[in-house]
């Protein structure tokens, strides 16, 4: 509970301040445009949006009373993302809420006026999306993904779980702007980790199938998945293929471990959505997105799926299980 | 003047216009009574408000100070908790087998303490043996020499070392804590702490209803605040300025609770306490309105009580003033009525206090005025036949029996003008009344002076009594002297009249003896007179007297003889009286009887 409260407040659910803003700002119905680059109604993303809406409701914004949500589901097809983005901008919402680094650029191209709040964008500073983290300026702020160094951490965890792994592939969509950064980090850390780095670009399900089977031809392979919405969208396929090819894999999303992945190490996405809701609330109450610092995740959670481990024939050391924040059995 | 005579009083309608005093008296009473209640009430209320304010202010200071210390304790607890957890890592010396154990402990520590972002263990020689991180790669047996780093040096010197707060990428606050074991061989644990997690602690601190706490480091940079975005704006953001100013204000006030503004511009009351070790300042702030709410409530309460008290005082004063001025008004009306001559008016007052006494006094006074008026009227009536002083005496009722019928030794005096009938036959009414006016005016003064009682006018003459109703020491002598004076006064007039050609004379007769005296007549027209032979005798003597003569009987003559000249005229034949010895009284040694020209006696006129 405290943790949840903490994360909510990271987003700015603040004592006194938002409540003290003029009531008339709260009176009229506010519009939030939501752009989710996932297949329509993806249950996990739907659950995250539910967390977002719950938080808004807790902060005094209820759909049908003083709030209208306009949702657009676009999959990771950037053309569809563009169309959805343009549609949302035409609706002139008070805030646009979205997720994904590649979506950021498209929305930024559409509007520099409407406040926009992101969740799950890697390194917004390094990508040049914001001028600085403390005061982003412009119309963009949000909750960032963990830093790229966490990719090496995924490898470290994978090596701990399956010490035999010597070849590790990093699986990402090249359309993701952070792919290049992640890949560079990964390849730079590889010698220290004593592994052979591989890059497995995936854009659609057929790529995944092809890439995994090609990579699995050689022995001692393992996979790491930095945060990528394409991977999440096809999580069932991804985890199933990893299992079929007997590739131990560590993901950047708890949903992947739930879907059957071996393990995940990341910040909690639902909490990030709640933080995003808190920022939306502050903007609806009159604050400028440019004044709200881009937030970094503070807590990381290690989730281990023992079923997947058993299927892979991996005996997990107790020390590792002891460190896990959640063990799926 | 007519009414004055009728009433014997100045009527109220003719006095100066009545002054409307009721209102001013009412106002005076009202103000006095109101002030008597309200002034102490005000003084009490004001002093109570002032002392209450001071007490409340002191209480607020104390309260906020306690809140600040409590908050500082919690923040200190956060740091101490991390320090204590780190202490576990530096208890056993490094050995070959220790590395794996230390690695597991370190990873478990990270799991246990979310704020620790990375942990580096340095052995007794200052060589890094282990590094575990949340987001970075772990290193085992890194081997780098860290003995020169401030964290290691600091921890070795003082067991615990707290690094300066740094803002990662200008946003997230971090701090390094280094802990050394109790001997050099166990080395040093160096941890990077994500201070964002103090939010857990700082956001849980509530001061009053909406007060909060925040933490500044020694330089005044914001480390923790319930609004985390203020912290994430980095060390140099302007939004933290008011917080630094609040701290400066508290410091310059010697640590007492001070008023300032918070990051959102609210006016707040702030207090401060420091966290030992890290040398941070924990400030608590409460919105001014909220902090002063009890004070304001007390002030409002006092004001309301004062107002209620004043209203009550006004009502009371009004009532009392009405009570006081009402009877006075009633009295005034009553007195006005009485003053207007309505002596039968009675002031009806049943207040049961001094006013009722006063009213009854007024009523008594009215009664006495009625008596007095009655008496005054009686005296006026008496004055018709009594000398004024006698009339006063008789009228005053000192001896109401004076006028009762009785037999009394009196001197009867008769006088009349000679030749008046002939004169009045010839003269005009003006002349007649003029002569009579002069005549009676001259006589009136004298007989008043002698206290003679005039019983009746007989046209040009009159009858007087000496010795009744008041006894007289020597009635005969008084009567004789009065007669002489009267004769002298009238003779002076006669001289004038004769010059005008009026042949008028004046004679008098005196007799002493017992007579029945008393009032005769009917209601409203009463006369006081004497009845008896002495009256007849005096009448006869008067009739017998010639102009300028005063005739007396033997009794009178005997009484005055030592002092006045008495001439024995022998017996004169008087009408209805047998031979009687008659005497003429004159001034002593006066022998000018012959000088008086003979005037025909009344009987002859």
């Amino acid at each position: 509970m405290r943790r949840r409260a903490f994360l909510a407040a990271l987003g700015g659910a603040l004592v006194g301040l938002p409540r003290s803003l003029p009531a008339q700002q709260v009176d009229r119905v506010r519009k939030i445009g939501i752009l989710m680059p996932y297949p329509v109604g993806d249950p996990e993303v739907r659950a995250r949006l539910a967390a977002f809406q719950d938080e808004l409701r807790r902060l005094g914004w209820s759909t049908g009373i003083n709030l209208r949500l306009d949702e657009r589901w676009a999959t990771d097809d950037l053309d569809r993302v563009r169309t959805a983005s343009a549609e949302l901008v035409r609706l002139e919402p008070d805030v646009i809420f979205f997720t994904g680094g590649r979506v950021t650029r498209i929305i930024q191209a559409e509007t520099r006026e409407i406040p926009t709040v992101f969740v799950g964008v890697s390194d917004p500073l390094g990508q040049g999306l914001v001028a600085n983290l403390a005061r982003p300026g412009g119309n963009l702020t949000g909750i960032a993904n963990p830093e790229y160094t966490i990719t090496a951490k995924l490898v470290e965890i994978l090596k701990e779980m399956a010490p035999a792994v010597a070849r590790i592939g990093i699986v990402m969509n090249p359309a993701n702007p952070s792919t290049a950064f992640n890949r560079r980090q990964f390849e730079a850390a590889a010698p220290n980790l004593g592994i052979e780095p591989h890059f497995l670009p995936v854009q659609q399900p057929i790529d995944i199938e092809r890439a995994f089977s090609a990579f699995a031809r050689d022995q001692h392979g393992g996979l790491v998945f930095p945060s990528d919405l394409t991977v999440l969208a096809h999580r069932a396929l991804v985890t199933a293929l990893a299992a079929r090819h007997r590739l131990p894999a560590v993901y950047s999303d708890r949903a992947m471990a739930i879907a059957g992945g071996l393990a995940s190490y990341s910040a909690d996405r639902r909490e990030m959505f709640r933080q995003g809701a808190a920022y939306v609330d502050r903007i609806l109450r009159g604050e400028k997105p440019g004044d709200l610092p881009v937030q970094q995740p503070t807590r990381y959670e290690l989730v281990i799926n023992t079923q997947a481990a058993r299927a892979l024939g991996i005996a997990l050391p107790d020390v590792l299980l002891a460190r896990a924040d959640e063990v799926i059995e | 003047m007519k009414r004055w005579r009728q009433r014997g009083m100045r009527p109220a309608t003719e006095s100066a216009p009545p002054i409307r005093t009721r209102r001013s008296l009412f106002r005076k009473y009202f103000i006095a009574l109101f002030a008597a209640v309200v002034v102490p009430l005000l003084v009490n209320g004001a002093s109570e408000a002032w002392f209450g304010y001071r007490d409340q202010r002191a209480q607020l200071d104390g309260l906020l100070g306690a809140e600040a210390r409590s908050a500082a304790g919690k923040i200190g607890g956060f740091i101490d908790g991390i320090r204590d957890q780190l202490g576990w890592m530096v208890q056993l010396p490094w050995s070959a087998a220790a590395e794996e154990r230390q690695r597991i402990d370190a990873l478990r520590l990270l799991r246990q303490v979310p704020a620790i972002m990375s942990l580096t263990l340095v052995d007794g020689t200052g060589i890094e043996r282990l590094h575990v991180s949340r987001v970075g790669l772990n290193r085992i047996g890194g081997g780098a020499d860290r003995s020169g780093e401030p964290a290691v040096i600091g921890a070795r010197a003082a067991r615990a070392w707290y690094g300066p707060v740094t803002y990662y990428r200008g946003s997230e606050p971090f701090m390094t804590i280094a802990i050394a074991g109790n001997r050099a061989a166990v080395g040093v644990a160096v941890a990077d702490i994500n201070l964002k997690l103090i939010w857990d602690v700082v956001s849980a601190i509530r001061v009053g209803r909406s007060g909060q706490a925040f933490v500044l480091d020694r330089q005044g940079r914001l480390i923790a605040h319930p609004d985390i975005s203020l912290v994430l704006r980095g060390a140099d953001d302007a939004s933290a300025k008011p917080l630094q100013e609040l701290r400066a204000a508290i410091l310059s006030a010697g640590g007492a609770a001070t008023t300032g503004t918070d990051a959102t511009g609210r006016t707040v009351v702030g207090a401060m306490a420091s966290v030992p070790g890290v040398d941070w300042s924990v400030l608590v702030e409460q919105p001014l309105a909220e902090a002063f709410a009890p004070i304001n409530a007390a002030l409002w309460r006092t004001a309301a009580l004062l107002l209620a008290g004043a209203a009550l005082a006004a009502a009371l004063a009004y009532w009392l003033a009405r009570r006081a001025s009402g009877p006075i008004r009633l009295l005034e009306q009553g007195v006005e009525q009485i003053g207007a001559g309505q002596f039968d008016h009675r002031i009806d007052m049943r207040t049961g206090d001094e006013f009722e006494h006063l009213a009854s006094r007024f009523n008594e006074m009215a009664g006495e005025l009625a008596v007095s008026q009655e008496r005054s009227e009686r005296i006026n009536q008496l004055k018709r036949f009594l000398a004024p002083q006698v009339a006063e005496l008789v009228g005053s009722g000192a001896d109401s029996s004076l006028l009762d019928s009785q037999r009394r030794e009196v001197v009867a005096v008769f006088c009349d003008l000679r030749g008046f009938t002939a004169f009045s036959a010839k003269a005009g009414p003006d002349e007649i009344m003029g002569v009579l006016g002069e005549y009676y005016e001259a006589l009136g003064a004298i007989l008043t002076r002698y206290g003679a009682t005039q019983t009746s006018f007989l046209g040009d003459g009159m009858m007087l009594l000496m010795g009744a109703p008041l006894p007289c020491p020597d009635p005969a002598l008084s009567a004789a002297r009065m007669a002489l004076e009267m004769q002298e006064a009238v003779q002076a007039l006669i001289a004038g009249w004769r010059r005008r050609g009026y042949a008028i004379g004046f004679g008098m007769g005196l007799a002493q003896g017992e007579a029945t005296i008393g009032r005769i007549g009917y209601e409203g027209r009463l006369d006081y007179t004497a009845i008896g032979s002495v009256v007849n005798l005096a009448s006869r003597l008067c009739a017998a007297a010639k102009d300028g003569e005063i005739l007396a009987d033997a009794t009178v003559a005997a009484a005055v003889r030592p002092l006045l000249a008495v001439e024995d005229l022998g017996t004169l034949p008087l009408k209805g009286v047998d031979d009687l010895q008659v005497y003429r009284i004159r001034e002593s040694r006066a022998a000018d009887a012959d000088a008086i020209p003979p005037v025909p006696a009344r009987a002859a006129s």
Side-chain angles (χ1 to χ4, degrees):
Chain A
M1 198 57 216
R2 286 187 71 183
R3 171 177 174 165
R4 183 184 156 173
F6 171 82
L7 289 163
L10 282 178
L14 292 167
V15 198
L17 167 65
R19 310 281 172 279
S20 66
L21 285 165
Q24 54 96 3
Q25 293 193 337
V26 186
D27 286 346
R28 69 177 177 87
V29 173
R30 300 313 192 86
K31 292 184 287 184
I32 303 177
I34 296 176
L35 206 169
M36 290 291 122
Y38 297 100
V40 178
D42 180 301
E44 175 60 25
V45 179
R46 173 54 70 200
R48 291 175 190 177
L49 273 180
F52 172 80
Q53 262 180 271
D54 282 349
E55 187 64 17
L56 279 178
R57 201 171 301 121
R58 201 177 68 77
L59 295 168
W61 302 100
S62 297
T63 51
I65 295 170
N66 56 0
L67 190 67
R68 205 182 82 197
L69 301 180
D70 293 301
E71 291 179 10
R72 292 293 182 278
W73 297 72
T75 73
D76 58 353
D77 180 340
L78 296 186
D79 288 334
R80 290 184 63 180
V81 170
R82 269 182 212 102
T83 311
S85 171
E87 276 176 29
L88 283 180
V89 169
R90 270 200 299 281
L91 291 173
E92 293 181 343
D94 295 287
V95 186
I96 296 175
F97 176 75
F98 64 96
T99 180
R102 66 201 88 166
V103 179
T104 312
R105 292 189 180 284
I106 291 167
I107 289 178
Q108 285 280 287
E110 286 288 341
T111 180
R112 296 274 176 167
E113 303 293 326
I114 299 170
T116 50
V117 175
F118 63 75
V119 160
V121 169
S122 299
D123 193 16
L125 186 65
Q127 290 193 45
L129 298 173
V130 295
N132 69 63
L133 298 176
R135 274 192 190 269
N139 65 334
L140 181 69
T141 189
I143 319 302
N145 273 338
E147 295 190 28
Y148 301 128
T149 54
I150 202 161
T151 305
K153 201 72 189 167
L154 300 179
V155 175
E156 190 180 272
I157 293 164
L158 179 60
K159 287 275 285 181
E160 260 188 273
M161 299 176 100
V165 168
R167 303 164 53 247
I168 295 182
I170 179 171
V171 186
M172 287 190 86
N173 189 337
N176 186 338
S178 57
T179 298
F181 294 91
N182 268 311
R183 190 179 169 190
R184 205 174 304 139
Q185 278 276 333
F186 171 65
E187 285 168 357
N192 292 333
L193 293 162
I195 54 130
E196 183 187 311
H198 291 260
F199 176 51
L200 280 65
V202 294
Q203 279 177 307
Q204 16 189 339
I206 187 73
D207 301 337
I208 301 169
E209 170 75 67
R210 203 174 294 146
F212 282 25
S213 58
F215 183 72
R217 277 186 209 120
D218 290 328
Q219 290 283 297
H220 308 303
L223 298 175
V224 292
F225 295 80
S227 180
D228 191 300
L229 54 90
T230 305
V231 172
L232 182 70
H234 304 297
R235 59 188 172 279
L237 179 67
V238 169
T239 52
L241 285 173
R244 191 197 304 162
H245 295 291
R246 299 192 66 79
L247 291 169
V250 177
Y251 304 87
S252 294
D253 199 319
R254 178 173 170 273
M256 301 301 292
I258 303 283
L262 175 60
S264 76
Y265 184 65
S266 70
D268 183 337
R269 299 307 164 104
R270 290 191 195 180
E271 291 302 342
M272 286 164 74
F273 270 63
R274 288 199 183 92
Q275 289 173 254
Y279 262 13
V280 167
D281 167 65
R282 288 181 71 164
I283 289 165
L284 290 182
R285 291 176 193 273
E287 291 195 64
K288 292 195 190 73
D291 291 339
L292 299 173
V294 172
Q295 299 202 22
Q296 308 296 314
T298 305
R299 296 176 202 245
Y300 299 87
E301 53 182 9
L302 174 63
V303 181
I304 295 173
N305 189 329
T306 52
Q307 224 176 343
R310 267 197 303 280
L312 291 167
I314 293 172
L316 294 169
D318 283 340
V319 174
L320 192 67
L321 285 172
R323 276 166 55 199
D325 297 274
E326 186 179 354
V327 176
I328 298 160
E329 295 186 304
Chain B
M1 289 306 281
K2 228 174 173 178
R3 283 185 67 182
W4 181 82
R5 280 221 174 118
Q6 280 173 354
R7 295 282 181 196
M9 301 258 330
R10 275 175 66 105
T13 46
E14 281 187 15
S15 65
I19 303 156
R20 303 300 298 169
T21 51
R22 188 199 67 84
R23 185 169 290 166
S24 77
L25 180 69
F26 174 80
R27 192 194 294 138
K28 267 188 274 181
Y29 270 120
F30 179 82
I31 289 170
L33 293 166
F34 183 69
V37 181
V38 159
V39 167
L41 203 68
L42 274 175
V43 169
N44 179 50
S47 62
E48 199 171 282
W50 167 242
F51 287 114
Y53 173 82
R54 281 198 358 184
D55 291 352
Q56 292 265 21
R57 189 64 220 248
Q59 203 180 343
L60 177 65
D61 277 11
L63 203 72
L64 279 179
E67 293 278 6
R69 284 190 295 280
S70 157
K74 287 172 184 165
I75 302 294
F78 175 85
I79 300 295
D80 291 349
I82 293 171
R83 187 196 64 200
D84 293 347
Q85 293 278 2
L86 288 176
W88 283 97
M89 304 305 300
V90 286
Q91 285 179 347
L92 296 172
W94 287 91
S95 62
E99 247 166 37
E100 179 58 14
R101 188 201 71 224
Q102 288 281 46
R103 187 182 75 88
I104 292 165
D105 284 351
L107 288 169
R108 286 169 66 194
L109 180 65
L110 255 60
R111 163 100 172 81
Q112 204 61 32
V113 188
I116 299 177
M117 294 308 283
S118 72
L119 172 66
T120 308
L121 296 179
V122 174
D123 68 12
T125 61
I127 306 298
E128 179 193 305
R129 301 292 287 268
L130 178 69
H131 172 84
V132 293
S133 165
R134 273 185 207 282
V135 287
L137 290 176
N138 301 341
R139 292 188 299 269
I140 297 167
D145 184 1
R146 299 201 177 271
S147 60
E149 287 183 5
V152 175
I153 295 168
R156 279 178 168 167
R159 294 289 295 277
W161 179 84
Y162 302 98
V165 175
T166 56
Y167 291 82
Y168 181 67
R169 287 176 142 186
S171 178
E172 308 220 339
F174 279 81
M175 185 180 71
T176 301
I177 298 179
I179 303 294
N182 55 1
R183 53 211 157 114
V186 297
V188 176
V190 182
D192 272 333
I193 309 299
N194 185 346
L195 295 176
K196 234 162 98 179
L197 279 97
I198 302 181
W199 187 91
D200 268 358
V201 180
V202 87
S203 68
I205 297 169
R206 275 283 177 290
V207 180
R209 189 166 47 78
S210 65
Q212 53 192 20
F214 59 91
V215 185
L216 299 175
D217 75 354
R218 195 209 305 255
Q219 288 90 42
R221 298 181 301 178
L222 190 61
I223 297 168
H225 193 283
D227 180 355
I228 192 76
S229 61
L230 289 179
V231 179
L232 297 181
R233 279 174 195 164
D236 306 315
D237 197 80
S239 53
K241 269 277 180 303
L243 307 179
Q244 292 160 7
E245 281 162 8
L246 183 60
R247 183 172 79 156
I250 293 168
L251 282 173
S252 64
T258 307
T259 307
T261 51
D262 73 355
T264 59
R266 307 191 283 189
T267 305
V268 296
V269 185
M272 190 175 84
S274 61
V275 182
V278 286
D279 200 12
W280 293 346
S281 305
V282 176
L283 284 91
V284 293
E285 55 174 39
Q286 195 177 13
L288 193 69
E290 185 186 316
F292 277 70
I295 299 176
N296 290 339
L299 289 177
W300 276 115
R301 208 162 43 232
T302 305
L305 283 175
L306 280 180
L307 214 65
L312 192 72
L316 198 70
Y318 183 81
W319 181 66
L320 284 172
R322 277 293 296 270
R323 257 190 78 100
S325 67
I328 285 171
R329 184 168 151 75
L330 200 63
L331 283 172
E332 192 209 353
Q333 285 172 342
V335 170
E336 196 178 322
Q337 296 254 335
I338 294 167
Q342 298 181 21
F343 298 131
D344 55 342
H345 180 83
R346 290 295 176 268
I347 301 166
D348 183 26
M349 198 170 303
R350 297 276 181 276
T351 53
D353 54 15
E354 284 84 347
F355 282 119
E356 195 178 320
H357 280 288
L358 186 59
S360 65
R361 287 297 160 92
F362 271 115
N363 289 340
E364 285 168 21
M365 186 189 82
E368 282 180 10
L369 278 174
V371 170
S372 167
Q373 191 202 29
E374 196 191 341
R375 193 167 61 207
S376 161
E377 278 172 8
R378 203 167 68 221
I379 289 167
N380 277 326
Q381 217 173 359
L382 291 176
K383 276 180 181 168
R384 283 172 49 215
F385 51 86
L386 293 178
Q389 58 268 43
V390 179
E392 292 285 350
L393 194 63
V394 173
S396 69
D399 186 357
S400 57
S401 63
L402 275 175
L403 296 182
D404 290 351
S405 301
Q406 55 187 298
R407 279 196 75 77
R408 169 80 66 83
E409 178 83 8
V410 297
V411 176
V413 180
F414 275 77
C415 66
D416 66 5
L417 294 172
R418 302 288 125 82
F420 189 76
T421 311
F423 160 71
S424 62
K426 291 181 287 186
D430 288 350
E431 282 173 297
I432 295 167
M433 295 319 282
V435 164
L436 282 177
E438 285 177 301
Y439 168 67
Y440 280 120
E441 197 171 338
L443 293 185
I446 294 161
L447 60 94
T448 298
R449 182 146 36 86
Y450 278 87
T453 301
Q454 184 191 353
T455 59
S456 55
F457 286 103
L458 311 159
D460 56 354
M462 59 183 168
M463 172 186 165
L464 305 170
L465 286 176
M466 193 62 88
L470 282 180
C472 181
D474 193 350
L477 186 59
S478 291
R481 281 189 167 148
M482 180 180 71
L484 286 168
E485 264 190 60
M486 287 165 73
Q487 191 58 266
E488 189 182 355
V490 175
Q491 286 307 324
L493 290 172
I494 287 170
W497 293 335
R498 288 208 178 139
R499 277 196 293 279
R500 277 184 263 165
Y502 310 151
I504 297 172
F506 181 62
M508 298 182 73
L510 282 67
Q512 182 169 14
E514 283 213 330
T516 298
I517 50 174
R519 282 171 286 187
I520 56 167
Y522 49 87
E523 181 65 39
R525 186 68 184 88
L526 275 174
D527 275 347
Y528 184 74
T529 194
I531 295 161
S533 60
V534 66
V535 176
N536 295 334
L537 183 56
S539 175
R540 297 288 179 272
L541 285 169
C542 178
K546 292 193 274 291
D547 176 39
E549 262 187 347
I550 301 165
L551 298 185
D553 69 347
T555 318
V556 172
V560 305
R561 194 183 298 276
L563 291 164
L564 297 172
V566 177
E567 190 183 346
D568 189 347
L569 299 180
T571 56
L572 285 181
L574 297 176
K575 191 175 159 189
V577 180
D578 293 334
D579 290 346
L580 180 76
Q581 199 72 26
V582 175
Y583 301 87
R584 183 162 60 204
I585 295 170
R586 286 184 300 166
E587 288 289 344
S588 53
R589 316 293 164 244
D592 54 348
D594 296 337
I596 302 166
V599 169
R602 186 183 175 86
S605 63

